[in-house]
Amino acid sequence: MKTYKLNNHNLSQFSEVVSIPQYDRSKVKAGIVHVGVGGFHRAHEAYYTDQLLHKETEGNWGICGIALLEYDAKIYNTLKDQDGLYTLIVKELDGTLTKRVIGSIVEYLYAPENPIKVVEKMANPDIKIITLTITEGGYNYSEATGEFNFENSAIQFDLENPQAPKTIFGFLTQALKMRKEKGLKGVTIQSCDNIQGNGQMAEKMLLSYVKVAEPTLVSWINENVSFPNAMVDRITPATNATDISSLKETSGIDDAWPVVCEPFKQWVIEDNFAAGRPAWETVGAQFVDDVVPFEKMKLSLLNAGHTVLGILGDLMGYATIDESVHNKEIQNFLHNYMNIEVTPTLAGLEGVNLEEYKESLLQRFGNIYIKDQIDRICSESSAKFPIFILPTVNKQLENKGSVQFAAFVVAAWAIYSLGKNENGKPLLIKDAMQGILNDKAIASKENPTEFLEIAAVFGKLKESKTFVDAYTTSYQNITKNGVEKCVIIMNNSILN
Ligand code: CS2
């Protein structure tokens, strides 16, 4: 098959084989700035927005994607080479691939190259919404203090160099200051990260920074900026070389960085937009008054479920989430964790059907075509445990409920942080805190509770005797018998 480079010029070549944008991209103005143009954004918000642009032909809701970090140079160059176009490949449950070229990213900027340009774009009157996928760790929240972490050297850099910032907080502060000086009114800052109360978190962390960096801006922000909470969901594994080559072979699309994802998608948003918003509800998003139930359900079941399958599966030598969940004992363990420890903490959530949701998760995790990398799931676990798992633990402790399954996963994480799986093979660990995790993991061989000393992750958890006892028992059992044997014993103890 003849292949063509994906770009505006060649776009029509692909219309026979895949869906392509049916709207005139040259007429779409950016009304949204998005920071963090990774796979998830491209499978989720940019997908919804592409669908919307098919309906609202006059739409000024195109996206300007910002690559914020030096690490993001590759995605920036790809988008630039491809005029913002990329292919979204949905891996259906029966193995079919549904492909479409997405056109909603109409501009792209690379912050390290030209920070002022990024600030100016964020302060452009056409921009009504600034959306963020900056990862769980990107909010710079310290679990130990419950506050913004001013010790972060990048934050200190931004405080000293306000004109050439590096962090999202430095950029937003400069942009909002410029909006104020221009006399512009409202703007919305919308988090799309997996954090309970992600809008509130974005607001709290930004205001903490602004109070120090630009104190006179605080009241303007309070009056002019809204921070809606939202629950975002679509499993988006990392794209691999086979995804790229088979797209080329089967569809003739030479796309340097397509995105692969599952068919399921969900976006539940609090309707709190300071300067208008796209009618995303016409393309499947839900606008509700209270997002809390949806967020709680998703973070504590889906994301936590991923972490459980990831940490246990990685230690056992599995490479993908479907392999892990297709081990019957691991699946039963996850079932028990969800039913015995998570479900009681979600009692009384309105508007959601928990039983159906849990069932659907097992099917989603089990999709054998997705091949979601365990390495991806386990990456940055130090930012994930405090959001996905520990709120459940704390609630269960408060209510004197079971914490043995969660404690087992934490113990497995301590052992995982030593860096080898149960077959002695090195684990590929990517975590901003890996230095301290590894030090504490080594110290834990003598005294398992050392790992719980990491206050930035565990807060005050080490003070709970119930948790510490369950954790220590699990630690010793896993060290002696391995994950699978322990899991079988735990599952059987529930049956009996
Ligand atoms: C995953 C999420 O990174 C993780 O640990 O749980 O990326 C998950 O795939 C998404 O939140 C799905 O919406």
Side-chain angles (χ1 to χ4, degrees):
M1 175 173 262
K2 192 159 169 27
T3 65
Y4 296 89
K5 182 89 208 138
L6 178 59
N7 56 29
N8 271 341
H9 178 75
N10 292 334
L11 188 55
S12 58
Q13 302 287 348
F14 310 123
S15 60
E16 299 284 299
V17 274
V18 301
S19 317
I20 61 168
Q22 299 298 323
Y23 48 93
D24 182 353
R25 294 181 75 232
S26 67
K27 296 221 169 75
V28 177
K29 265 207 278 182
I32 302 170
V33 160
H34 180 78
V35 180
V37 208
F40 179 73
H41 168 72
R42 293 193 289 147
H44 195 260
E45 179 186 338
Y47 162 79
Y48 278 97
T49 307
D50 174 80
Q51 296 297 291
L52 180 97
L53 292 171
H54 280 91
K55 300 194 167 201
E56 280 192 14
T57 41
E58 292 300 304
N60 285 331
W61 291 119
I63 298 172
C64 171
I66 310 279
L68 198 74
L69 310 172
E70 268 156 33
Y71 167 87
D72 298 326
K74 184 176 163 211
I75 184 62
Y76 168 69
N77 286 321
T78 305
L79 290 173
K80 197 165 78 165
D81 284 354
Q82 298 184 177
D83 301 315
L85 295 167
Y86 63 94
T87 321
L88 183 64
I89 306 169
V90 178
K91 298 188 166 177
E92 310 287 350
L93 290 171
D94 65 359
T96 320
L97 302 180
T98 307
K99 303 168 203 164
R100 66 175 72 239
V101 173
I102 303 290
S104 51
I105 301 182
V106 291
E107 287 178 57
Y108 18 84
L109 295 171
Y110 179 48
E113 194 173 74
N114 197 340
I116 298 301
K117 211 165 166 188
V118 170
V119 171
E120 282 168 357
K121 186 73 199 178
M122 288 176 166
N124 183 302
D126 290 342
I127 299 302
K128 310 291 184 208
I129 306 176
I130 300 171
T131 54
L132 313 173
T133 44
I134 55 174
T135 78
E136 294 82 21
Y139 289 80
N140 203 44
Y141 169 81
S142 162
E143 201 65 33
T145 60
E147 301 294 337
F148 190 78
N149 175 16
F150 280 100
E151 278 161 32
N152 178 343
S153 58
I155 295 294
Q156 286 173 7
F157 177 92
D158 279 10
L159 286 171
E160 280 156 28
N161 302 278
Q163 302 305 327
K166 284 187 192 298
T167 74
I168 183 65
F169 301 101
F171 277 103
L172 289 175
T173 304
Q174 289 307 303
L176 296 177
K177 187 175 164 205
M178 199 179 276
R179 291 185 85 98
K180 180 184 169 197
E181 282 160 6
K182 286 187 187 173
L184 297 176
K185 286 283 168 227
V187 66
T188 299
I189 296 179
Q190 185 183 4
S191 167
C192 303
D193 283 296
N194 289 311
I195 295 181
Q196 182 70 48
N198 54 7
Q200 279 147 355
M201 176 66 98
E203 178 175 20
K204 180 171 172 200
M205 295 297 105
L206 178 63
L207 285 173
S208 304
Y209 180 82
V210 172
K211 268 179 204 152
V212 175
E214 205 61 59
T216 56
L217 194 60
V218 171
S219 59
W220 186 89
I221 294 180
N222 286 335
E223 278 157 34
N224 289 284
V225 187
S226 68
F227 298 85
N229 291 310
M231 181 266 242
V232 294
D233 193 7
R234 189 167 218 180
I235 295 175
T236 309
T239 306
N240 63 35
T242 315
D243 296 320
I244 298 177
S245 59
S246 64
L247 178 66
K248 213 184 270 181
E249 281 153 27
T250 56
S251 307
I253 305 180
D254 179 2
D255 181 343
W257 203 338
V259 179
V260 293
C261 67
E262 64 168 341
F264 182 92
K265 59 188 176 309
Q266 195 172 13
W267 197 6
V268 188
I269 315 167
E270 196 176 67
D271 204 351
N272 173 23
F273 285 73
R277 62 163 175 84
W280 279 315
E281 70 276 22
T282 61
V283 289
Q286 289 161 264
F287 284 91
V288 298
D289 292 335
D290 185 11
V291 179
V292 170
F294 296 92
E295 286 181 322
K296 281 207 165 128
M297 175 181 79
K298 196 249 169 173
L299 296 169
S300 61
L301 290 168
L302 183 143
N303 295 108
H306 260 163
T307 297
V308 169
L309 295 172
I311 297 289
L312 303 188
D314 218 354
L315 273 176
M316 289 171 68
Y318 295 132
T320 59
I321 288 295
D322 58 296
E323 285 172 9
S324 189
V325 82
H326 284 129
N327 174 316
K328 262 280 157 249
E329 292 298 339
I330 299 288
Q331 186 173 129
N332 285 341
F333 178 95
L334 178 62
H335 219 266
N336 286 329
Y337 171 65
M338 287 180 170
N339 290 336
I340 297 170
E341 297 185 1
V342 185
T343 304
T345 70
L346 300 178
L349 285 193
E350 277 176 30
V352 295
N353 183 333
L354 280 185
E355 292 313 310
E356 242 172 49
Y357 189 74
K358 285 186 276 189
E359 246 347 279
S360 74
L361 287 184
L362 292 181
Q363 192 193 35
R364 292 170 64 194
F365 292 153
N367 181 339
I368 55 167
Y369 302 101
I370 288 279
K371 295 265 161 280
D372 195 5
Q373 301 86 357
I374 278 189
D375 288 344
R376 177 186 88 83
I377 295 301
C378 294
S379 71
E380 305 307 337
S381 282
S382 64
K384 292 176 179 174
F385 269 81
I387 298 171
F388 302 166
I389 307 259
L390 300 182
T392 298
V393 170
N394 290 330
K395 194 86 203 256
Q396 282 289 87
L397 287 172
E398 215 178 286
N399 296 338
K400 307 221 174 325
S402 158
V403 291
Q404 57 165 330
F405 289 92
F408 185 88
V409 181
V410 175
W413 183 34
I415 294 166
Y416 160 98
S417 299
L418 287 167
K420 287 209 174 115
N421 75 11
E422 291 182 340
N423 310 319
K425 275 203 162 155
L427 294 165
L428 191 90
I429 303 185
K430 196 178 146 277
D431 197 302
M433 291 182 67
Q434 182 51 13
I436 175 150
L437 291 170
N438 187 246
D439 289 349
K440 289 294 185 189
I442 293 169
S444 298
K445 285 163 80 173
E446 281 289 312
N447 175 8
T449 54
E450 281 287 329
F451 197 68
L452 303 179
E453 294 286 332
I454 312 174
V457 173
F458 296 109
K460 296 196 167 83
L461 194 55
K462 65 172 185 195
E463 290 168 17
S464 159
K465 183 170 172 345
T466 311
F467 186 83
V468 170
D469 287 350
Y471 162 88
T472 309
T473 308
S474 290
Y475 187 97
Q476 285 156 349
N477 287 344
I478 301 173
T479 310
K480 198 156 144 233
N481 301 312
V483 168
E484 190 161 32
K485 239 189 181 166
C486 297
V487 162
I488 293 174
I489 294 170
M490 286 179 81
N491 290 337
N492 287 344
S493 76
I494 297 302
L495 289 177
N496 297 327

